[in-house]
């Protein structure tokens, strides 16, 4: 299968500011993927940079990369996105796979994640966002509707499935409702506060519940308590003051030392442990002194090329 909907690069290094996006990935066959990932085995971490539309070949890219990484023992994965959206059913298919495969998702500064791309954010274990995230109404290009009632009846079906998808992946179903109120020709840009409120940035709350139970058994209650304290400090000290992703990562790496991470007994479960594996730690900033599925029917697309608007009306309540 060729990768026709966008471009992809694979890197074993997380420091994109110093080392770029990695090597271009031109084919999705197993031999090509094994060759591209061979250098990542020793470090145990990969970064998949993707720029383009969300379609069936993107879903295949994520699935095949994951399967080859599993076979090679590469357990830490970062999906580095820059996408204006695409096919909703393919985004949901890829998202459900991502949700079971332990991916961190990045939207770097000067990158975008619009419309169907937002569903991928819902799936990640951890989301780090420095770029722009926007939503708008879905449209079915193959629709034969001739009245508003007929069109809305069709969209109610996909709307219900989108709500189910968001709910099972720990994001607010209010995102689906808000999308329906934004014309397809426009974009409703989500603020940093809205991304957190809707469960699209930071640690995935659904995955966090699972991890909490597992980490209490494997690493102990003290580890979990320090991990929670670090997460609160990260939001307060790093997220509010850093606008670029590499700076956000560097702030977190410096801050975690105050909380005893990486942990001697559970290093791989420590916050930002992917940087320990990659040995690609950004230049640290000054540390804080504080230390105490089924495919959807029809072709639903997101209307790539819609003009972005800077207006940010208040989302509906409920």
């Amino acid at each position: 299968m060729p990768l026709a909907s966008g471009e992809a690069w694979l890197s074993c290094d997380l420091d994109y500011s110093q080392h770029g996006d990695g090597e271009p990935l031109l084919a999705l066959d197993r031999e090509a993927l094994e060759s591209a990932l061979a250098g990542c085995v020793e470090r145990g971490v990969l970064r998949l940079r993707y720029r383009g539309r969300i379609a069936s070949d993107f879903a295949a890219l994520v699935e095949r990369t994951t399967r080859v990484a599993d076979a090679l023992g590469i357990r830490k994965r970062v999906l580095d996105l820059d996408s204006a959206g695409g096919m909703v059913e393919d985004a949901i298919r890829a998202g459900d796979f991502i949700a079971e495969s332990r991916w961190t998702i990045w939207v770097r500064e000067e990158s975008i994640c619009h419309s169907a791309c937002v569903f991928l954010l819902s799936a990640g274990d951890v989301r780090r966002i420095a770029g722009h995230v926007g939503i708008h109404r879905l449209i079915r290009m193959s629709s034969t509707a001739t009245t508003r009632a007929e069109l809305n009846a069709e969209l109610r079906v996909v709307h219900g499935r989108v709500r189910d998808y968001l709910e099972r992946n720990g994001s607010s179903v209010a995102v689906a409702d808000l999308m329906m109120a934004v014309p397809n020709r426009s974009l409703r840009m989500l603020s940093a506060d809205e991304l957190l409120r809707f469960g699209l940035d930071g640690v995935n709350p659904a995955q966090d519940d699972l991890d909490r139970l597992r980490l209490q058994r494997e690493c102990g209650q003290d580890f979990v308590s320090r991990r929670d304290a670090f997460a609160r400090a990260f939001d307060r000290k790093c997220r509010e003051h850093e606008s670029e992703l590499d700076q956000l990562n560097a702030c977190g790496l410096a801050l975690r030392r105050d909380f005893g991470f990486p942990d001697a007994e559970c290093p791989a479960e420590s916050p930002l442990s992917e940087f320990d594996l990659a040995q690609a730690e950004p230049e640290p900033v000054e540390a804080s002194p504080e230390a105490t599925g089924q495919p959807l029917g029809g072709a639903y697309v997101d209307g790539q090329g819609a003009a972005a608007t800077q207006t940010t009306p208040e989302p509906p309540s409920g």
Side-chain angles (χ1 to χ4, degrees):
M1 173 181 286
L3 187 60
S5 299
E7 299 175 285
W9 297 262
L10 276 170
S11 175
C12 309
D13 201 305
L14 301 182
D15 191 350
Y16 61 89
S17 63
Q18 293 293 323
H19 301 284
D21 291 331
E23 294 299 318
L25 184 62
L26 304 178
L28 303 185
D29 60 277
R30 189 175 189 89
E31 182 178 356
L33 288 168
E34 286 180 342
S35 176
L37 291 173
C40 303
V41 173
E42 182 176 358
R43 292 180 171 184
V45 62
L46 69 88
R47 176 166 55 91
L48 174 60
R49 171 69 167 169
Y50 180 77
R51 181 185 299 127
R53 287 180 58 77
I54 309 301
S56 59
D57 51 352
F58 168 78
L61 168 68
V62 172
E63 292 183 22
R64 295 181 184 192
T65 301
T66 301
R67 296 190 191 284
V68 172
D70 282 342
L72 295 176
I74 303 170
R75 304 303 180 194
K76 299 286 185 178
R77 300 96 182 244
V78 173
L79 178 57
D80 186 354
L81 283 172
D82 185 3
S83 175
M87 305 294 288
V88 173
E89 58 265 38
D90 292 320
I92 288 180
R93 171 189 160 196
D96 277 331
F97 191 86
I98 288 169
E100 301 298 324
S101 307
R102 307 307 302 263
W103 283 84
T104 291
I105 298 181
W106 289 357
V107 181
R108 286 161 26 188
E109 59 280 359
E110 300 182 2
S111 291
I112 61 173
C113 184
H114 292 166
S115 199
C117 177
V118 173
F119 301 139
L120 303 178
L121 296 180
S122 178
D125 283 12
V126 179
R127 292 71 53 91
R128 297 280 182 247
I129 300 174
H132 302 287
V133 178
I135 59 174
H136 62 175
R137 187 178 175 91
L138 308 175
I139 186 171
R140 190 183 187 191
M141 300 304 295
S142 60
S143 174
T144 58
T146 58
T147 68
R148 190 181 302 172
E150 290 175 349
L151 181 60
N152 284 337
E154 291 180 352
L155 292 183
R156 273 197 298 271
V157 175
V158 69
H159 180 256
R161 293 177 180 175
V162 166
R163 286 174 61 94
D164 290 344
Y165 169 82
L166 292 170
E167 186 174 32
R168 68 176 174 263
N169 283 301
S171 297
S172 173
V173 297
V175 176
D177 297 336
L178 187 56
M179 291 177 80
M180 298 301 289
V182 181
N184 184 263
R185 66 180 179 275
S186 301
L187 276 172
R188 164 69 149 79
M189 308 307 294
L190 298 179
S191 68
D193 287 343
E194 287 173 328
L195 289 168
L196 288 173
R197 190 191 328 153
F198 293 147
L200 296 172
D201 194 6
V203 177
N204 188 308
Q207 186 63 43
D208 193 48
D209 287 344
L210 285 173
D211 287 344
R212 180 180 301 277
L213 297 172
R214 178 177 59 84
L215 292 175
Q216 283 181 336
R217 296 189 299 265
E218 296 178 1
C219 304
Q221 182 58 46
D222 176 69
F223 178 96
V224 173
S225 297
R226 286 186 286 116
R227 177 174 169 266
D228 290 345
F230 166 80
R232 291 190 294 269
F234 180 85
D235 287 344
R236 185 174 66 256
K237 296 297 183 182
C238 299
R239 192 188 301 277
E240 293 183 1
H241 302 289
E242 303 296 346
S243 59
E244 296 189 1
L245 193 59
D246 55 350
Q247 295 173 351
L248 190 68
N249 288 331
C251 178
L253 286 164
L255 181 65
R256 69 180 185 157
R257 299 167 187 161
D258 295 341
F259 298 88
F261 295 118
D263 186 81
E265 298 298 324
C266 290
E269 302 295 347
S270 299
L272 297 169
S273 63
E274 61 268 22
F275 285 94
D276 301 318
L277 294 171
Q279 298 178 343
E281 183 170 325
E283 189 68 25
V285 297
E286 184 179 352
S288 166
E290 294 187 11
T292 40
Q294 289 291 322
L296 305 181
Y300 287 90
V301 301
D302 61 22
Q304 183 182 16
T309 61
Q310 297 302 316
T311 57
T312 56
E314 288 299 315
S317 60

